[in-house]
Amino acid sequence: MDSVLKSHEDRMKKSVKNLEEEFNNLRTGRASASLFDKIRVDYYGSPTPLNQVANISVPEARLVVIQPWDKSLIGEIEKAIQKSELSLNPASDGKVIRISIPPLTEDRRKELVKHAKQIAEQSRVAVRNIRRDANDDLKKQEKDSEISEDDLKRGEDEVQKLTDSYVKQIDELLDAKEKEIMEV
């Protein structure tokens, strides 16, 4: 029974971790190096993460500076940023790329909050699906006489407590992200 709880708790942790990563990639009007985590640059024929070919710094709240280690990559980096879903316009001086993060409009903020809620709901559904899988595994163990009916009931209660705690974490992450997005 403990192995079932442990393995399913690990899956729930991964769901919350995945949600955190998704939220990091949501643009909030504040400059952040994590905005560029999913951007790939063509580096000698292979798509390479931007942070592996350049230094990304945030000197001000609304400015990102990207300093490529190989100056010949500046054009490729600019192209990759323009093609991304970030809607940002990079400007380069031949040595570094500067990206000014424009403030978000009220409508765009509301869209982002709506999107964040959808992502959070997907995570809640994932956690509930893991709960269902855990309960199915426990019922199978009880059917196979590996655990007693009392152990089954105890196990289901533990799974529900785990589910509640991870759903609460998801809700807290969503609240924090909403505040961050709606902040002017």
Side-chain angles (χ1 to χ4, degrees):
M1 182 172 80
D2 289 339
S3 65
V4 169
L5 292 173
K6 183 75 182 121
S7 69
H8 289 80
E9 182 179 13
D10 288 345
R11 288 176 57 201
M12 288 181 186
K13 276 183 190 165
K14 286 178 186 168
S15 290
V16 171
K17 186 80 181 132
N18 187 36
L19 175 69
E20 289 173 348
E21 289 170 10
E22 287 282 332
F23 278 173
N24 281 342
N25 291 325
L26 264 184
R27 199 183 114 195
T28 59
R30 254 200 247 138
S32 163
S34 65
L35 281 174
F36 302 93
D37 286 350
K38 289 189 175 179
I39 293 182
R40 302 277 185 261
V41 178
D42 184 24
Y43 185 60
Y44 296 108
S46 67
T48 308
L50 178 58
N51 62 5
Q52 291 182 15
V53 296
N55 186 28
I56 304 171
S57 60
V58 183
E60 297 171 25
R62 295 200 184 276
L63 180 70
V64 176
V65 176
I66 300 173
Q67 192 166 16
W69 296 314
D70 181 351
K71 304 293 181 237
S72 65
L73 282 176
I74 285 186
E76 287 295 329
I77 293 171
E78 283 181 305
K79 264 193 264 178
I81 292 168
Q82 286 168 340
K83 282 185 200 170
S84 74
E85 299 170 359
L86 296 174
S87 306
L88 297 173
N89 292 319
S92 93
D93 62 6
K95 294 181 185 148
V96 296
I97 298 170
R98 287 182 177 74
I99 302 169
S100 177
I101 308 287
L104 297 171
T105 64
E106 188 66 24
D107 288 344
R108 183 69 179 131
R109 286 177 199 279
K110 288 177 182 170
E111 279 177 40
L112 285 172
V113 167
K114 196 170 163 185
H115 185 60
K117 286 180 180 179
Q118 289 171 344
I119 295 170
E121 184 55 31
Q122 289 169 355
S123 293
R124 283 190 212 98
V125 168
V127 167
R128 290 185 196 118
N129 287 340
I130 295 166
R131 173 187 60 194
R132 185 195 59 226
D133 293 346
N135 286 338
D136 289 349
D137 290 351
L138 289 170
K139 286 175 187 161
K140 184 179 182 312
Q141 283 185 345
E142 194 248 348
K143 184 179 168 213
D144 295 344
S145 302
E146 293 173 27
I147 61 173
S148 68
E149 201 173 316
D150 288 343
D151 288 339
L152 170 66
K153 183 71 180 125
R154 234 185 332 272
E156 287 176 340
D157 290 345
E158 284 297 312
V159 168
Q160 187 58 49
K161 285 178 191 165
L162 275 176
T163 303
D164 292 343
S165 77
Y166 283 100
V167 167
K168 185 175 185 246
Q169 284 181 36
I170 290 169
D171 292 340
E172 289 167 358
L173 287 169
L174 176 62
D175 288 343
K177 193 63 177 182
E178 268 187 74
K179 284 183 183 116
E180 184 183 333
I181 291 170
M182 295 310 286
E183 200 173 82
V184 179

